[in-house]
Amino acid sequence: LKAQQVGATKLGKNILEERCGRLTGGIAKISICGTSDAGNREVKDRIEDAICATRGAVKHGILPGGGKVLLNLSVMASCSEIQTVREVLANAFREPLLVLLRNCGLNNMEIEEIIVRLIENPNEVYDALKQTFGNPIELGIIDSAPAVTESLRSAISIASLLGTLGGIVVYKRDD
């Protein structure tokens, strides 16, 4: 098809490019350039993750991003009648959002204000980059539903494995 594009007319080139795109299963060609092989691999992995998340979002839908879904799950878990769910899962669901907000340089009081506002306003998310609240679609803060599902599945799997161990060795985190 590429060889045929060389001598084809403009209309013919467009048709051949479209056929070539359909055969390769894509609509774009992404060139990856980095400063080293490791940098190229990292960029390639990030691009593949983004493509998979986009495909999953198109096929299965999107969710509000920025930890909003996990915060909602935390609120539901804190209302559970099961003690383990209240004490363990409620805190575990909230932790990714707390880490995100701490990484933005916010103090505990500011973090608590943000969490309270997010709980009170179910249709809002927090844009950590611009430090504003708003609609997830308008702000572009969305997650792929399968990506969120898979991350929860992986976290539960790891927690289950750690729960079956007799003990684990951990080191205190550096400040």
Side-chain angles (χ1 to χ4, degrees):
L1 290 175
K2 288 184 180 184
Q4 290 176 355
Q5 287 178 2
V6 175
T9 64
K10 187 174 180 179
L11 177 63
K13 281 185 181 180
N14 288 342
I15 292 170
L16 291 172
E17 285 176 6
E18 185 178 325
R19 286 179 61 199
C20 199
R22 285 184 183 163
L23 288 174
T24 59
I27 58 169
K29 181 178 179 182
I30 300 173
S31 298
I32 300 170
C33 299
T35 57
S36 66
D37 287 340
N40 284 344
R41 281 192 299 272
E42 182 180 345
V43 171
K44 182 181 177 203
D45 289 342
R46 287 178 185 231
I47 289 172
E48 285 178 4
D49 288 346
I51 290 170
C52 289
T54 303
R55 285 181 183 151
V58 168
K59 188 173 182 181
H60 299 289
I62 57 173
L63 297 169
K68 178 69 175 181
V69 171
L70 295 176
L71 181 62
N72 293 345
L73 288 172
S74 172
V75 171
M76 286 189 271
S78 65
C79 298
S80 174
E81 295 177 9
I82 303 170
Q83 181 181 1
T84 308
V85 172
R86 276 194 322 268
E87 293 177 2
V88 177
L89 281 182
N91 293 330
F93 286 142
R94 191 176 293 220
E95 192 62 29
L97 178 61
L98 294 175
V99 170
L100 176 71
L101 296 174
R102 280 189 216 115
N103 286 343
C104 292
L106 301 174
N107 63 38
N108 289 339
M109 194 171 77
E110 293 169 324
I111 290 173
E112 196 58 39
E113 288 173 9
I114 290 169
I115 289 176
V116 167
R117 180 161 174 190
L118 288 174
I119 292 171
E120 290 173 353
N121 301 306
N123 297 326
E124 279 189 344
V125 295
Y126 181 70
D127 185 348
L129 184 62
K130 297 176 185 169
Q131 298 181 347
T132 59
F133 292 89
N135 183 310
I137 303 293
E138 292 171 3
L139 293 175
I141 301 177
I142 54 175
D143 287 330
S144 168
V148 173
T149 304
E150 190 58 36
S151 67
L152 288 172
R153 214 178 267 142
S154 296
I156 290 170
S157 173
I158 292 167
S160 300
L161 177 66
L162 290 175
T164 61
L165 299 174
I168 58 173
V169 177
V170 295
Y171 296 98
K172 186 177 179 183
R173 234 181 139 163
D174 292 338
D175 291 331

